[in-house]
């Protein structure tokens, strides 16, 4: 599918470029050109094949066109990037039900133009108070298959509503009621199910089909909705209406909280009204890095993403990647070797900072990076077992979503949030329309022992009541002279960090425009399993050279779905990853 999309974009963009080139920007005929055509002319069109979307005043990039449009409408109505980001967050809960959510959680990284400062909001789910370290282990000490994924025990206390409200109150300018209006309408009237959503629904037939409350919404005639049918979510519309009226209080204390708790009580789940009332979004100090003169602003723990993104960048800064070339065997070799080192550390040191001490400063220091790369051999891949024994990172799914927003005032917002797996636990809390997450699976169910996916988690990420599970979500801003230059992020589970990393390398080191930076093939190494994962399509010569260095290559399906926006002197340039054909960037 990936290849076909590339081909289609290639032809389309070549045609656009060919049509657009003879016209001067000043020409009156220019008014006939679309923003993308203008972008094709302006952005180094002589060398590029893929062209970004252009917008002079603002831009939104998300995985669903209706949600992107809602964000753009908010900007056009005078809202700022934070208003738009909150609106997109609620809209995706309606139109991207497999990952967008109000029953899950995530992270926001933002630049506030007024104070010229950078902030992060942690609205990751929290373990219910009654959660215990061994809650997924039977009397024989074995992990109970599926308990942390598809039962009421898999649900963490949702954080999205608190996080969105926090951001809106502190940095937004529009009332919540206005922000929620378009999402309520979409939930009430319904929207047409796309091919992508239909396929996802089909693949989760069993997960959703177990629960009457979920079937009522996502099924018709005993099967999941198919492409072209209308997905109407009346209960969700009512829930959003209550949030619009009463704010997050409705969700955490009022009628919605009571319904979520009733759902738990009916199935012996752990979340209580006290858990709901006790949930708080937390503002945390961003992780700040410096990469070749650009400032990296990214998410601190309980995300592992920011720390390891900066750690890998610090290591890579010691090599002339531009000289090595994008996706040359030499570049990929250094990417793999540095990724391995970071992921080995991840398993050892990362967890909820409110519960465990995370050596963030040490892990992100330039000196530490220098010391780590001492043992990298230019010619030979290191065997994972030689780097550090034991403890790979815990499993994280790739059914997450990311969106990016920028406005003309200079605000920039990156949000990555999730239900964990597609549709989370698959359980809709009766009468609310809210799909509940299964984020508890991001904890180490049994520290030191492989989970269902053959991976092992560390002690720092063991389950405790009120703790937040470790995540890889890496919403990130790149600043140039202290002003937002790039907003980036992606879903992709453990591969999020390396996906975001490559979007930065491609723009900074290889001077690619946002479209080129996204479509370029990606690679990934996470230390264990000891394999260098590469997207299909890289030249066999390159793979052979890597194999000669000792890399165990695994050619796999596409990784990540980046939504990227770049600010230049004349406006914004962005792109939605074609690895999801539903993604859409709109500028104006
Ligand atoms: N659930 C995926 C993550 O948080 O990284």
């Amino acid at each position: 599918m990936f290849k076909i999309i590339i081909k289609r974009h290639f032809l389309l963009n070549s045609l656009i470029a060919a049509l657009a080139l003879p016209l001067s920007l000043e020409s009156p005929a220019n008014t006939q050109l679309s923003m993308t055509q203008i972008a094709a002319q302006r952005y180094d069109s002589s060398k590029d094949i893929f062209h970004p979307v252009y917008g002079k005043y603002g831009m939104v990039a998300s995985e669903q066109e209706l949600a992107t449009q809602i964000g753009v409408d908010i900007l056009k109505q005078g809202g700022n990037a934070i208003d738009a980001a909150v609106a997109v967050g609620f809209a995706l809960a309606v139109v991207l039900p497999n990952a967008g959510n109000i029953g899950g959680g995530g992270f926001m990284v933002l630049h506030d133009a007024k104070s010229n400062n950078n902030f992060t909001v942690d609205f990751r789910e929290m373990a219910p108070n009654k959660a215990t370290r061994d809650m997924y282990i039977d009397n024989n000490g074995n992990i109970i298959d599926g308990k942390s994924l598809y039962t009421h025990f898999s649900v963490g206390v949702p954080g999205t509503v608190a996080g969105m409200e926090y951001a809106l109150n502190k940095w937004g300018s529009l009332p919540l009621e206005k922000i929620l209006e378009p999402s309520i309408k979409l939930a009430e009237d319904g929207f047409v199910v796309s091919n992508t959503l239909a396929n996802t629904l089909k693949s989760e037939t069993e997960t959703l089909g177990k629960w009457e409350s979920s079937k009522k919404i996502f099924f018709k005639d005993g099967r999941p909705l198919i492409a072209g049918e209308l997905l109407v979510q009346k209960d969700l519309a009512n829930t959003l209406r209550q949030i619009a009226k009463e704010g997050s209080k409705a969700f955490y204390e009022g009628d919605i909280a009571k319904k979520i708790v009733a759902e738990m009580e009916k199935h012996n789940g752990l979340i209580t009204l006290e858990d709901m009332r006790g949930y708080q979004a937390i503002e945390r100090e961003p992780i700040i890095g410096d990469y070749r003169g650009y400032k990296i602003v990214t998410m601190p723990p309980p995300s592992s993403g920011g720390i390891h993104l900066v750690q890998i960048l610090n290591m890579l800064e010691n090599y002339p990647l531009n000289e090595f070339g994008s996706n040359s065997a030499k570049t990929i070799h250094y990417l793999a070797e540095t990724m391995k080192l970071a992921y080995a550390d991840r398993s050892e040191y990362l967890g909820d900072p409110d519960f465990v001490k995370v050596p963030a400063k040490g892990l992100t220091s330039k000196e530490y990076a220098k010391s780590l790369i001492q043992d990298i051999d230019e010619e030979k891949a290191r065997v994972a077992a030689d780097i550090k024994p034991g403890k790979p990172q815990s499993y994280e799914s790739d059914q997450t979503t990311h969106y990016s927003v920028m406005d003309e005032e200079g605000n920039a917002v990156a949000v990555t949030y999730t239900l964990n797996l597609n549709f989370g636990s698959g359980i809709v809390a009766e009468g609310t329309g809210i799909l509940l997450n299964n984020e508890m699976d991001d904890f180490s169910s049994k520290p030191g022992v492989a989970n269902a996916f053959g991976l092992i988690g560390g002690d720092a990420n063991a389950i405790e009541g009120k703790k937040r599970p470790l995540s890889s979500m890496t919403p990130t801003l790149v600043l140039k002279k202290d002003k937002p230059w790039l907003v980036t992020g992606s879903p992709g589970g453990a591969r999020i960090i390396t996906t975001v990393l490559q979007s930065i390398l491609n723009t900074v080191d290889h001077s690619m425009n946002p479209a080129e930076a996204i479509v370029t093939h990606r690679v990934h190494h996470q230390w264990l399993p000891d394999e260098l994962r590469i997207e299909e399509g890289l030249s066999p010569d390159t793979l052979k050279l890597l194999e000669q260095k000792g890399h165990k290559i695994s050619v796999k399906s596409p990784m990540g779905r980046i939504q990227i926006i770049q600010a230049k002197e004349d406006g914004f340039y962005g792109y939605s990853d074609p690895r999801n054909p539903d993604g859409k960037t709109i500028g104006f």
Side-chain angles (χ1 to χ4, degrees):
M1 180 188 73
F2 182 39
K3 270 192 195 152
I4 294 165
I5 292 162
I6 298 265
K7 219 172 184 175
R8 184 164 58 80
H9 278 252
F10 175 82
L11 290 174
L12 192 67
N13 282 299
S14 305
L15 192 65
I16 287 167
L19 286 172
L21 274 173
L23 297 167
S24 123
L25 276 175
E26 272 67 54
S27 122
N30 199 33
T31 51
Q32 305 302 315
L33 295 181
S34 73
M35 291 292 201
T36 303
Q37 286 171 311
I38 296 170
Q41 283 184 319
R42 285 181 179 172
Y43 205 119
D44 297 334
S45 57
S46 56
K47 76 173 170 59
D48 293 335
I49 295 170
F50 295 96
H51 297 283
V53 173
Y54 172 71
K56 189 167 167 41
Y57 304 106
M59 186 167 280
V60 179
S62 91
E63 283 204 78
Q64 222 283 355
E65 183 169 359
L66 292 165
T68 295
Q69 188 60 57
I70 284 174
V72 168
D73 291 345
I74 289 285
L75 290 177
K76 283 183 176 171
Q77 287 159 24
N80 63 23
I82 294 88
D83 295 314
V86 174
V88 174
F90 281 111
L92 286 169
V94 179
V95 296
L96 190 76
N98 53 306
N101 68 81
I102 56 172
F107 305 123
M108 179 184 285
V109 176
L110 69 112
H111 179 85
D112 171 50
K114 243 185 250 149
S115 60
N116 198 26
N117 231 324
N118 306 301
F119 301 92
T120 79
V121 184
D122 164 6
F123 54 97
R124 182 75 162 159
E125 298 89 332
M126 273 168 76
N129 203 17
K130 281 191 244 162
T132 56
R133 185 182 168 103
D134 294 337
M135 63 188 280
Y136 302 122
I137 297 179
D138 67 16
N139 290 339
N140 300 319
N142 300 318
I143 289 174
I144 303 164
D145 192 29
K147 191 173 176 186
S148 65
L149 287 170
Y150 303 114
T151 69
H152 288 73
F153 292 94
S154 69
V155 186
V157 182
T160 297
V161 176
M164 294 292 152
E165 187 183 63
Y166 185 94
L168 189 69
N169 287 346
K170 182 148 184 192
W171 301 285
S173 65
L174 297 178
L176 189 59
E177 248 176 319
K178 183 158 182 63
I179 297 282
L180 275 164
E181 222 174 67
S183 299
I184 294 169
K185 190 165 163 43
L186 269 177
E188 183 73 41
D189 299 347
F191 67 97
V192 178
V193 171
S194 69
N195 264 321
T196 313
L197 178 55
N199 289 339
T200 315
L201 282 165
K202 193 171 171 207
S203 65
E204 300 302 332
T205 303
E206 200 188 323
T207 316
L208 292 164
K210 273 199 293 202
W211 312 99
E212 273 314 313
S213 54
S214 310
K215 269 169 79 176
K216 219 163 65 183
I217 299 165
F218 299 106
F219 279 46
K220 189 181 165 185
D221 304 329
R223 47 104 185 128
L225 292 174
I226 56 174
E229 289 182 337
L230 214 55
L231 172 53
V232 178
Q233 301 171 86
K234 298 273 182 205
D235 284 345
L236 185 58
N238 274 336
T239 293
L240 292 174
R241 240 178 245 120
Q242 285 178 62
I243 296 171
K245 215 164 132 205
E246 298 162 44
S248 69
K249 225 173 162 188
F251 189 90
Y252 291 101
E253 294 182 33
D255 193 45
I256 306 165
K258 285 178 193 140
K259 283 182 180 153
I260 291 175
V261 170
E263 175 73 32
M264 289 290 144
E265 282 170 354
K266 194 169 156 195
H267 298 273
N268 301 318
L270 298 186
I271 296 176
T272 62
L273 217 45
E274 202 190 331
D275 287 321
M276 292 297 289
R277 278 200 204 107
Y279 185 84
Q280 273 186 335
I282 300 173
E283 202 181 309
R284 297 190 190 272
E285 276 294 305
I287 294 289
I288 303 285
D290 172 83
Y291 183 64
R292 304 196 200 275
Y294 290 83
K295 190 187 243 184
I296 310 293
V297 179
T298 184
M299 194 65 209
S303 171
S304 62
I307 284 185
H308 296 303
L309 172 70
V310 169
Q311 186 187 9
I312 300 171
L313 286 170
N314 283 345
M315 288 189 265
L316 289 174
E317 201 174 38
N318 296 285
Y319 306 104
L321 297 186
N322 177 257
E323 206 177 281
F324 295 169
S326 157
N327 275 346
S328 66
K330 199 165 180 174
T331 293
I332 294 175
H333 174 69
Y334 281 108
L335 292 192
E337 294 306 286
T338 52
M339 287 170 183
K340 275 182 220 175
L341 290 162
Y343 277 79
D345 276 351
R346 181 187 186 281
S347 70
E348 183 87 13
Y349 300 113
L350 272 286
D352 181 346
D354 297 338
F355 284 73
V356 291
K357 248 183 139 50
V358 180
K361 276 218 164 70
L363 287 167
T364 56
S365 86
K366 299 263 187 204
E367 295 71 39
Y368 181 57
K370 279 217 161 74
S371 73
L372 282 176
I373 61 169
Q374 291 307 313
D375 293 329
I376 292 180
D377 186 327
E378 188 184 331
E379 294 305 331
K380 208 168 169 336
R382 290 171 78 191
V383 180
D386 286 351
I387 291 175
K388 200 183 269 182
K391 301 191 184 168
Q393 93 302 321
S394 63
Y395 164 77
E396 284 155 19
S397 80
D398 59 2
Q399 315 312 334
T400 296
T401 191
H402 175 88
Y403 59 95
S404 300
V405 187
M406 278 180 122
D407 68 23
E408 67 175 326
E409 288 167 31
N411 298 299
V413 188
V415 177
T416 316
Y417 73 152
T418 186
L419 287 166
N420 195 23
L421 299 191
N422 268 326
F423 307 102
S425 61
I427 301 166
V428 167
E430 182 69 54
T432 65
I434 301 172
L435 272 161
L436 298 170
N437 68 82
N438 53 2
E439 217 68 63
M440 291 294 288
D441 192 65
D442 272 353
F443 282 114
S444 325
S445 290
K446 189 176 175 187
V449 173
N451 69 6
F453 300 88
L455 296 167
I456 306 165
D459 249 337
N461 190 32
I463 306 170
E464 276 183 68
K466 295 187 190 293
K467 193 175 176 183
R468 298 173 192 225
L470 188 60
S471 169
S472 288
M473 294 188 283
T474 317
T476 298
L477 310 179
V478 180
L479 274 53
K480 193 176 177 180
K481 296 192 183 125
D482 278 330
K483 300 284 176 221
W485 178 72
L486 198 76
V487 186
T488 182
S490 175
R495 296 177 295 280
I496 293 175
I497 305 168
T498 53
T499 299
V500 174
L501 169 81
Q502 286 162 88
S503 72
I504 296 173
L505 301 180
N506 289 346
T507 46
V508 172
D509 290 84
H510 304 301
S511 306
M512 292 180 190
N513 76 44
E516 298 270 350
I518 282 183
V519 298
T520 300
H521 289 92
R522 295 184 195 129
V523 304
H524 171 76
H525 203 305
Q526 60 181 53
W527 177 47
L528 290 173
D530 192 357
E531 64 174 24
L532 174 56
R533 190 174 161 149
I534 294 186
E535 283 182 333
E536 197 181 346
L538 221 61
S539 95
D541 288 0
T542 309
L543 302 189
K544 209 164 171 187
L545 285 170
L546 286 163
E547 269 162 359
Q548 280 164 5
K549 285 182 193 288
H551 292 283
K552 289 178 204 134
I553 310 275
S554 168
V555 176
K556 290 250 169 85
S557 51
M559 294 184 265
R561 301 184 296 273
I562 294 177
Q563 308 296 321
I564 198 170
I565 303 178
Q566 186 182 43
K568 288 175 73 94
E569 304 73 41
D570 59 346
F572 304 101
Y573 292 80
Y575 209 58
S576 289
D577 204 321
R579 289 165 183 81
N580 174 1
D582 282 3
K584 185 79 179 173
T585 297
I586 302 179
F588 70 101

